[in-house]
């Protein structure tokens, strides 16, 4: 079972991510570039990932998945 939820807030240059346990306890907050996001997500164990709904989500989500 996945015990971490990662929220992703997309922007033009900086992406903010917030990691929390399923119980809502903060695990991390980070500001990353798009390339840093891809590297960071590749290093994470399985997690529920929640993206903000916007036009650029398609490009990023296909690379993360």
């Amino acid at each position: 079972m996945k015990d971490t939820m990662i929220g992703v807030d997309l922007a033009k240059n900086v992406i903010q991510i917030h990691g929390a346990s399923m119980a809502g306890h903060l695990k991390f907050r980070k500001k990353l570039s798009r390339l840093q996001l891809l590297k960071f997500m590749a290093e994470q164990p399985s997690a529920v990932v929640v993206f903000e709904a916007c036009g650029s989500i398609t490009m990023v989500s296909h690379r993360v998945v």
Side-chain angles (χ1 to χ4, degrees):
M1 183 172 159
K2 298 173 183 164
D3 66 342
T4 301
M5 183 181 322
I6 300 173
V8 181
D9 181 12
L10 299 170
K12 194 170 201 174
N13 296 315
V14 176
I15 298 170
Q16 295 194 30
I17 59 174
H18 173 97
S21 69
M22 290 307 211
H25 301 289
L26 177 66
K27 289 189 169 186
F28 57 83
R29 283 188 183 147
K30 295 183 177 284
K31 287 184 181 181
L32 305 170
S33 69
R34 290 180 184 258
L35 290 175
Q36 289 172 324
L37 173 69
L38 297 175
K39 181 180 177 191
F40 176 83
M41 294 300 285
E43 296 170 350
Q44 296 304 304
S46 290
V48 174
V49 179
V50 182
F51 285 97
E52 148 192 44
C54 69
S56 63
I57 187 61
T58 304
M59 183 276 301
V60 174
S61 65
H62 285 135
R63 291 184 181 175
V64 170
V65 177

